[in-house]
C-alpha cells in the first residue's frame, strides 16, 4: 500500500500524471497471484451480478463466490461505490483488498468488471472540496449522505475522478481477470450553479461564435430576450426560449461526455486493449443525448428494471433496441432486478419463471450479458428491501435456483450465439432533440413521444419480428423501411440525409409532428415537414390537439372488410396534397369542421423509393393497418414466420449462423409450427413443432446460412 500525504502528489492531472506517478513509484503492493481465465470474447454470453465485497468480512468472500460459481455466474461488477474503502483518506490508497477479491473470484472462474467509484465520493472529499458538490436548481448545494452529489462540470472534481480512475487502472489495467470497466454509475444529476452557468455560456460562445448569430437563431427579440453579453444568458430547464432549452440539454450531454472522457483517458492508456469500457445507461431516460455520450465507449450497457408490474415486451424490448442503436452493435444488461426492486410504488416480484424469460428476451434483443443487481442483501444501507440472489443470512433466495438454471442454459447456448447479432430490415428513428422539444411544448399533455414511438414499434415488430431503433443521423441504406415517429426536430443535414435515403430507393414514413423544428428548436419557415415538404408533394396546413378521438376513413389499400371504426386519438394534422402524384391514404371523418374530409395520411413514390406522412396519432387498430401497409409496400419479410399471440420471436444471426429464441410471454400454453425443421439447442434434438408453457423458452438453430 502506498500512502501519499501531500494532496499535490495525489492530485496530479493530465500531462503531469505520468511524471507524478513515476515519482511516486508504485511498488511494494502485496500481489496475490491471479490465474489467467478466459477473456470475455471467448464467452459470448455472460451471466453476472453486482457484488460488494467491501461490505462483508473477507472470510465470507469465498462462500459467496462458490455460490456464484455454482449458479454459472461468469462475472461480478465490483467497486462502483467503494471509493471510501479504496481511498479512506486523501492519498491513502487501499487496493490490496480489491486485488484479493479479484484473485479469489478468478479461482472460482469468475471475471471482473471494475466500476470507477465516482458516483459516490467519500465524505472527506466533499468536506475538503465543497465546491465539487452539485448545486440544485433552487441554488442549494447537494450534500453528503446519499450518492451523485458531485458536480459533473466541476474541474476540481474531474481531477479527483481522474486520479482514482488512474490509480485503479494502474493497478488493474493488466490484471488478466479484469475484463472491463464501468465508468461511474447511471449519469443523471446536473448542477446549476454560477460556475456551471459560466461554462454553459462559454460553450454557447464556441457554438454560435457571435451574440448576433445566437440572437438571430433564437429569435431573442421575442419578449426582449436579446443578449448583449454572454454572461447575461441564463439556464432554463422547462419553460424558456426553445433555443435556450435545447442548448442547455446539448451542453448537459457534451458535459457528460467530457466527464466520462476524463475517466476513459485516465484508464485507456494503462489498460489492456481487451478490457472493454462502458457505462450503465437507463433505457428511455432522456436527461442527456445518449448518442453523444456513447461515442467514446467500446460497449453500450443499460440497467433494465421493470419496477412495478411485469415485463412489457414492447416497451422493454424497444429499450433494448434503443440501447443496441447507441453503438449499432450488441450491448450488455449491466443491471437487472432479481425478482423485485425497492423503489416502485408497489415492489411486486416478477412471477416464477419470468426472470428467466426476461433474460432470454434480453439476449434475443442483442444483450451479450445479463447481470443481476445485487448479489446479497446488505445488512444496512438505503436498499435493504431490494431483491437479491442471496439473503442477508448468506443462503440462496428462492430465485437463486432460477438464475442457476439460466447459468446452465447460457453455457449450452453460448457457442451457437457466438458472433451473432440482431439484423433488421426496418429502422425506427429516435431523436433526443425531438423528444425534448415535444415534452417542453406537448400541446396535448397526453401526447408522450415515447408512447408515440411505441405505437409504431408494436405492430411493426409483431410482423417483422426484428426492429432497429437508431439515431436520426445513423446510416440508413441497409433498411427497406425507415419510420420516424414524431421527428419534430430535423436539421438541414438530417433532412438531406433522409432525402438521399428516399432517392436511393428507401421508404421513409414520417409520423405526426415531424419536420416542424430546426436545429435550434425554432420553427422551420416552411410548413411541416419543413425541408421534406417538397419531396412529399404535400404539407401540414394546421395541427390540432384533440380533446376527443376523431374518426378516420380509409384502409391503406388493404381492402379490409371490417366495419370497426378507426380513430385519430390525441393529435390530428390537416394535410394537403400539392403534387399530382401524391396519394391520399387516409381521411378524417366528421370532426371540428376544419378536419372534416381532409387528408390524414399521404404518400408519394419517388423513383424506386417512397415518402409517406401520417399526420395523426392513430389508435392501435388503425396503426396495425398502417404498419401492414408500410411493410408490404416496402417488401419487408418476417424474420421467422407467423406465431400465436404471446409468443415472442427473437432472431440473431451472423458468423454463418441463424438462431431464433422463442419465449412465451402470454398467459396460455401455445403450440408453434416452425417454418422448417430446426435444432432445439436447450433440449437437444430436431423439431418442426413445439409447445411452450407460459414463460417457457426455446432456442432454435436453423440450418446454417
Ligand atoms: C397573454 C399575454 C400574451 C400571450 C398570451 C398567450 O395574454 O399577454 O403576451 O402570452 O397570453 O395566450
Ligand atoms: C440503479 C443503481 C443501483 C441500484 C439499483 C436499484 O440501477 O445503479 O446501484 O441502486 O438502481 O434498483
Amino acid at each position: 500500500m502506498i500512502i501519499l500525504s501531500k494532496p499535490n502528489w495525489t492530485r496530479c492531472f493530465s500531462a503531469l500524471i505520468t511524471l507524478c506517478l513515476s515519482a511516486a513509484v508504485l511498488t511494494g503492493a502485496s500481489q496475490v497471484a491471479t490465474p489467467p481465465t478466459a477473456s470475455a470474447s471467448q464467452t459470448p454470453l455472460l451471466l453476472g451480478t453486482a457484488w460488494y465485497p467491501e461490505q462483508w468480512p473477507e472470510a465470507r468472500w469465498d462462500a459467496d463466490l462458490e455460490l456464484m460459481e455454482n449458479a454459472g455466474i461468469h462475472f461480478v461488477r465490483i467497486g462502483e461505490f467503494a471509493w471510501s474503502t479504496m481511498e479512506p483518506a486523501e492519498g491513502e490508497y487501499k487496493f490490496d483488498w480489491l486485488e484479493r477479491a479479484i484473485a479469489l473470484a478468478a479461482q472460482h472462474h469468475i471475471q471482473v468488471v471494475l466500476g470507477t467509484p465516482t458516483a459516490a465520493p467519500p465524505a472527506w472529499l466533499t468536506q475538503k472540496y465543497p465546491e465539487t458538490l452539485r448545486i440544485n436548481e433552487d441554488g442549494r448545494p447537494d450534500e453528503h449522505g446519499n450518492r451523485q452529489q458531485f458536480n459533473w462540470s466541476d474541474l476540481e472534481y474531474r481531477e479527483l475522478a481522474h486520479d482514482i480512475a488512474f490509480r485503479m487502472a494502474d493497478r488493474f489495467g493488466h490484471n488478466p481477470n479484469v475484463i472491463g470497466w464501468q465508468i461511474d454509475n447511471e449519469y443523471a444529476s446536473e448542477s446549476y450553479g454560477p460556475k456551471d452557468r459560466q461554462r454553459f455560456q462559454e460553450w454557447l460562445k464556441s457554438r454560435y461564435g457571435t451574440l448576433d448569430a445566437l440572437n438571430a437563431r433564437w429569435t431573442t427579440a421575442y419578449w426582449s430576450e436579446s443578449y448583449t453579453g454572454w454572461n447575461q444568458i441564463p439556464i432554463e430547464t422547462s419553460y424558456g426560449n426553445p433555443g435556450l432549452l435545447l442548448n442547455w440539454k446539448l451542453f448537459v450531454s457534451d458535459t457528460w461526455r467530457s466527464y466520462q472522457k476524463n475517466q476513459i483517458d485516465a484508464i485507456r492508456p494503462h489498460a489492456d486493449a481487451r478490457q472493454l469500457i462502458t457505462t450503465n445507461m437507463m433505457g428511455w431516460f432522456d436527461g442527456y443525448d445518449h448518442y453523444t455520450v456513447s461515442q467514446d465507449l467500446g460497449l453500450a450497457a443499460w440497467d433494465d428494471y421493470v419496477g412495478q408490474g411485469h415485463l412489457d415486451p414492447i416497451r422493454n424490448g424497444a429499450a433494448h433496441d434503443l440501447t443496441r442503436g447507441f453503438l449499432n452493435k450488441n450491448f450488455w444488461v449491466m443491471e437487472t432486478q432479481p425478482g423485485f426492486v425497492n423503489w416502485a410504488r408497489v415492489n411486486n416480484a416478477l412471477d416464477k419463471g419470468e426472470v428467466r424469460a426476461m433474460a432470454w428476451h434480453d439476449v434475443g434483443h442483442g444483450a451479450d450479458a445479463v447481470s443481476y443487481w445485487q448479489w446479497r442483501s446488505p445488512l444496512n444501507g438505503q436498499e435493504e428491501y431490494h431483491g437479491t440472489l442471496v439473503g442477508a443470512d448468506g443462503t440462496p433466495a428462492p430465485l437463486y435456483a432460477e438464475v442457476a438454471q439460466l447459468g446452465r442454459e447460457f453455457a449450452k447456448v453460448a457457442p451457437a450465439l457466438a458472433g451473432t447479432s440482431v439484423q433488421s430490415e426496418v429502422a425506427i428513428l429516435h431523436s433526443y432533440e425531438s423528444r425534448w422539444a415535444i415534452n417542453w411544448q406537448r400541446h396535448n399533455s397526453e401526447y408522450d413521444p415515447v408512447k408515440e414511438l411505441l405505437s409504431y414499434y408494436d405492430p411493426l415488430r409483431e410482423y417483422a419480428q426484428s426492429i432497429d431503433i437508431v439515431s436520426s443521423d445513423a446510416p440508413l441504406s441497409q433498411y427497406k423501411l425507415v419510420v420516424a415517429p414524431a421527428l419534430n426536430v430535423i436539421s438541414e443535414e438530417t433532412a438531406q440525409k433522409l432525402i438521399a435515403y428516399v432517392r436511393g430507393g428507401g421508404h421513409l414514413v414520417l409520423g405526426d409532428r415531424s419536420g416542424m423544428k430546426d436545429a435550434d428548436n425554432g420553427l422551420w419557415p416552411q410548413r411541416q415537414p419543413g425541408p421534406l415538404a417538397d419531396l412529399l408533394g404535400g404539407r401540414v396546413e394546421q395541427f390540432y390537439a384533440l380533446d376527443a378521438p376523431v374518426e378516420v376513413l380509409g384502409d391503406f389499400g388493404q381492402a379490409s372488410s371490417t366495419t370497426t371504426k378507426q380513430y385519430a386519438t390525441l393529435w390530428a394534422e390537416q394535410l394537403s396534397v400539392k403534387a399530382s402524384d401524391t396519394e391520399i391514404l387516409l381521411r378524417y371523418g366528421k370532426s371540428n369542421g376544419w378536419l372534416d374530409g381532409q387528408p390524414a395520411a399521404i404518400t408519394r413514390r419517388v423513383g424506386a423509393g417512397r415518402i409517406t406522412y401520417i399526420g395523426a396519432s392513430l389508435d392501435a387498430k388503425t396503426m396495425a393497418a398502417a404498419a401492414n401497409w408500410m411493410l408490404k409496400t416496402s417488401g419487408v419479410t418476417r424474420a421467422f414466420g407467423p406465431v400465436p399471440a404471446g409468443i415472442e420471436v427473437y432472431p440473431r444471426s451472423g458468423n454463418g449462423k441463424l438462431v431464433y429464441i422463442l419465449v412465451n410471454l402470454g398467459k396460455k400454453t401455445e403450440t408453434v409450427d416452425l417454418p422448417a425443421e430446426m435444432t432445439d439447442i436447450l433440449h437437444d434434438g430436431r423439431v418442426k413443432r413445439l409447445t411452450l408453457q407460459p414463460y417457457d423458452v426455446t432456442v432454435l438453430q436453423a440450418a446454417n446460412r
Side-chain angles (χ1 to χ4, degrees), residues 81 147 185-186 280 303 305 335 341 343 373 383 386:
F81 297 117
R147 54 181 172 180
N185 192 79
E186 294 191 342
N280 51 343
D303 295 348
Y305 290 97
E335 296 181 14
V341 299
W343 43 257
W373 193 96
E383 295 166 304
H386 203 283

Side-chain angles (χ1 to χ4, degrees), residues 359-381:
W360 282 111
H361 152 94
D362 303 348
V363 173
H365 278 279
D368 280 344
V370 176
S371 185
Y372 290 93
W373 193 96
Q374 62 168 313
W375 171 247
R376 182 175 176 184
S377 304
L379 295 181
N380 210 323

